[in-house]
């Protein structure tokens, strides 16, 4: 450490420390645990509450219009790296964005929302489009803006390089991912799964993660925040069990993170990179006497690449713009369609029937009612706990549903929609298979232990 440039060291430590405080340190605010970025986002959301729905409508509309124009490959889009990355999408994803614009306008104007006989009612009602626009997009739009602008504190000043070098020997053998992914994981677990997906997208697009690594991290470590876990348990009326509940979530999360990357479809992903030559080496070069010295050198080399405040702001804006125009329309489309199916068809109830033999084998009380909650979590994570609270009397079964709905992790109304709307190499059917794998693993762990608790 004696020969380390003190200015470079300060440029590594101070921004990284600020990023850790903002994104990763839990703080108690208004009686509940959260993170500083979420507090700032909530304050801004509160101040702009009446303006946020129309802001979301404008963003989703611009995304649809510009994506349609981009299909013709005009020079003003193709010659701009930012516009090309943001609006140049495949025909399929362009259609998704256009449908999102249609849904968001119908919902914003309230067409058919209060009239059950209207053909638009199932789209715009409070349990479908109304929920996605009013409760999801208006929250995500501010989180994407604030987190996007501040993410460079975690990304651009050596923190990932430093943590990555130190934790490679743990993360690689256990979870088959680089050590730097520990930052994504911790940000998701303590803060919010959407932040973890944002981090993972950025690292994949810049060549630090391979297709396989990015797929594993996004689908396995974009965990549900502590705050939302509390909301789910509260919904089923079992808050007195929160300690053991969250310990079980952590245990199942780790077990899933060990097993799921080792089986298809994640095990079949290739170690190909969007940008070659950026991935960190897995071993210490011979000239270094310790991993810490090597980690600091990697961090300081990353700091040297930073071009100051201008690059910080530029990278932050790219993050925010990409999530605004790329992900919000996808969440509007896929989230609304998933909730329409959940609210108006028996598809999730029918798909839950194959779980009956397993639930009976695990001796879960009210197995028939519990089976209805198993697949509906793919549409929206909160729905299983609502169904459980309304239709299941057994506290043991309600507890199991509350645990599984959180550890399933991939739900289309938010995290799943974010992954599908990003450049991450994960298809819809792959998300569903991973969702099923996580569901089965979760049930095999939580049901026997719940019998010991209740």
């Amino acid at each position: 450490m004696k020969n380390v440039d003190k200015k470079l060291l300060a440029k590594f430590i101070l921004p990284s420390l600020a990023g850790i405080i903002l994104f990763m340190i839990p703080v108690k605010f208004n009686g509940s645990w959260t993170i500083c970025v979420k507090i700032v986002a909530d304050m801004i959301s509160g101040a702009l509450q009446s303006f946020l729905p129309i802001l979301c409508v404008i963003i989703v509309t611009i995304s649809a219009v510009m994506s349609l124009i981009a299909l013709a490959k005009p020079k003003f889009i193709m010659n701009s790296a930012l516009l090309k990355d943001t609006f140049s999408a495949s025909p399929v994803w362009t259609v998704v964005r256009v449908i999102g614009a249609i849904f968001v306008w119908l919902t914003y104007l309230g067409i058919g929302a209060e009239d059950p006989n209207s053909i638009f009612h199932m789209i715009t009602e409070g349990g479908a489009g109304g929920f996605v626009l009013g409760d999801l997009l208006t929250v995500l739009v501010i989180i994407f803006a604030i987190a996007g602008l501040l993410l460079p504190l975690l990304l651009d000043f050596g923190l990932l390089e430093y943590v990555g070098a130190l934790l490679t020997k743990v993360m690689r053998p256990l979870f088959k991912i680089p050590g730097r992914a520990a930052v994504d994981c911790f940000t998701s677990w303590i803060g919010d799964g959407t932040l973890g997906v944002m981090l993972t997208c950025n690292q994949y697009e810049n060549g630090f993660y391979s297709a396989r690594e990015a797929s594993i991290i996004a689908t396995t470590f974009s965990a549900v925040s502590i705050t939302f876990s509390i909301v789910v348990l509260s919904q089923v009326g079992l808050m007195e069990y929160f300690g053991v509940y969250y310990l079980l979530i952590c245990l199942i999360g780790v077990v899933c993170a060990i097993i799921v990357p080792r089986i298809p479809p994640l095990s079949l992903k290739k170690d190909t990179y969007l940008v070659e030559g950026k991935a960190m080496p897995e071993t210490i070069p011979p000239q270094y006497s310790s991993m810490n010295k090597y980690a600091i050198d990697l961090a300081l080399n990353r700091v040297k690449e930073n071009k100051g405040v201008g690059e910080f702001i530029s990278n932050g804006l790219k993050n925010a713009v990409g999530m605004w125009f790329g992900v919000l329309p996808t969440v509007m489309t896929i989230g609304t369609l998933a909730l329409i199916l959940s609210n108006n068809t028996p598809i999730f109830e029918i798909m839950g029937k194959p779980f009956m033999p397993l639930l009976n084998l695990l001796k879960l009380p009210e197995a028939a009612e519990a089976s209805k909650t198993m697949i509906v979590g793919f549409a929206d994570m909160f729905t299983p706990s609502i169904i459980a609270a309304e239709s299941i009397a057994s506290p043991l079964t309600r507890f199991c549903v509350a645990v599984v709905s959180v550890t399933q992790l991939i739900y289309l109304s938010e995290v799943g929609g974010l992954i599908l709307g990003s450049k991450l190499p994960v298809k819809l059917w792959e998300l569903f298979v991973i969702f099923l794998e996580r569901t089965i693993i979760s049930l095999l762990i939580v049901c026997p232990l719940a019998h010991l608790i209740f």
Side-chain angles (χ1 to χ4, degrees), residues 303-417:
V303 173
K304 286 178 187 176
E305 295 175 8
N306 193 276
K307 297 173 183 175
V309 176
E311 186 182 57
F312 178 89
I313 294 171
S314 172
N315 288 342
L317 286 172
K318 283 179 188 175
N319 291 333
V321 167
M323 298 302 281
W324 267 19
F325 294 102
V327 175
L328 288 181
T330 306
V331 173
M332 187 68 214
T333 301
I334 293 177
T336 303
L337 288 173
L339 291 172
I340 288 171
L341 289 173
S342 174
N343 296 339
N344 299 281
T345 74
I347 185 168
F348 291 116
E349 183 178 337
I350 293 168
M351 292 172 73
K353 288 188 183 297
F355 282 92
M356 282 295 293
L358 177 60
L359 296 176
N360 287 326
L361 180 66
L362 295 169
K363 298 181 179 177
L364 194 70
E366 301 179 73
E369 293 302 320
S371 70
K372 297 175 184 177
T373 70
M374 291 297 111
I375 300 296
V376 74
F378 190 57
D380 176 67
M381 186 191 61
F382 197 48
T383 306
S385 61
I386 295 172
I387 294 172
E390 292 175 350
S391 62
I392 297 174
S394 166
L396 186 156
T397 305
R398 293 204 310 273
F399 181 83
C400 290
V401 170
V403 170
V404 172
S405 68
V406 171
T407 55
Q408 286 172 323
L409 201 60
I410 300 165
Y411 50 108
L412 293 179
S413 63
E414 192 181 270
V415 170

Side-chain angles (χ1 to χ4, degrees), residues 214-272:
S215 301
I216 290 171
I217 297 162
T219 58
T220 307
F221 290 102
S222 300
V224 176
S225 69
I226 294 173
T227 306
F228 204 85
S229 299
I230 292 170
V231 173
V232 169
L233 193 63
S234 175
Q235 175 68 28
V236 297
L238 295 170
M239 273 305 293
E240 64 270 27
Y241 294 96
F242 183 75
V244 69
Y245 168 75
Y246 202 71
L247 281 174
L248 264 175
I249 289 171
C250 294
L251 171 65
I252 293 169
V254 171
V255 173
C256 286
I258 293 171
I259 296 173
V260 175
R262 289 173 166 81
I263 57 178
L266 289 179
S267 65
L268 301 178
K269 295 290 181 184
K270 304 296 184 186
D271 276 311
T272 53

Side-chain angles (χ1 to χ4, degrees), residues 143-171:
I143 287 180
F144 287 168
I146 302 300
L149 290 170
L150 296 175
L151 268 180
L153 292 171
L154 292 179
L155 300 172
D156 296 348
F157 295 93
L159 179 65
L160 293 182
E161 283 71 15
Y162 181 75
V163 171
L166 291 182
L167 291 181
T168 292
K169 289 186 177 180
V170 176
M171 301 294 284

Side-chain angles (χ1 to χ4, degrees), residues 47-249:
L48 301 177
Q49 196 167 13
S50 59
F51 174 67
L52 292 180
I54 188 60
L55 174 62
C56 294
V57 170
I58 291 168
I59 290 169
V60 174
T61 304
I62 290 173
S63 176
V65 172
M66 290 295 287
S67 297
L68 283 171
I69 294 171
L71 289 175
K73 301 187 184 301
K75 287 184 179 179
F76 80 94
I77 289 179
M78 293 298 112
N79 293 340
S80 166
L82 180 61
L83 292 179
K84 185 178 178 182
D85 286 346
T86 305
F87 299 115
S88 184
S90 69
V92 171
W93 286 111
T94 300
V95 169
V96 168
R97 293 179 180 187
V98 171
I99 292 172
I102 294 168
F103 282 177
V104 84
W105 272 107
L106 288 172
T107 303
Y108 180 72
L109 296 173
I111 297 175
E114 304 300 326
D115 180 7
N117 297 316
S118 169
I119 59 172
F120 298 116
H121 177 73
M122 67 174 62
I123 296 172
T124 59
E125 64 166 313
F131 172 77
V132 177
L133 175 59
D135 292 84
L136 282 180
L137 262 59
T138 52
V139 173
L140 291 175
V141 70
I142 298 299
I143 287 180
F144 287 168
I146 302 300
L149 290 170
L150 296 175
L151 268 180
L153 292 171
L154 292 179
L155 300 172
D156 296 348
F157 295 93
L159 179 65
L160 293 182
E161 283 71 15
Y162 181 75
V163 171
L166 291 182
L167 291 181
T168 292
K169 289 186 177 180
V170 176
M171 301 294 284
R172 180 64 69 184
L174 269 183
F175 308 123
K176 301 177 79 67
I177 54 177
R180 66 193 294 125
V183 176
D184 306 48
C185 306
F186 200 73
T187 300
S188 290
W189 210 276
I190 299 298
D192 190 285
T194 57
L195 300 178
V197 173
M198 287 178 72
L199 262 171
T200 305
C201 290
N202 184 287
Q203 294 295 281
Y204 173 62
E205 290 172 23
N206 286 288
F208 295 106
Y209 293 152
S210 69
R212 183 185 58 79
E213 291 164 352
S215 301
I216 290 171
I217 297 162
T219 58
T220 307
F221 290 102
S222 300
V224 176
S225 69
I226 294 173
T227 306
F228 204 85
S229 299
I230 292 170
V231 173
V232 169
L233 193 63
S234 175
Q235 175 68 28
V236 297
L238 295 170
M239 273 305 293
E240 64 270 27
Y241 294 96
F242 183 75
V244 69
Y245 168 75
Y246 202 71
L247 281 174
L248 264 175
I249 289 171

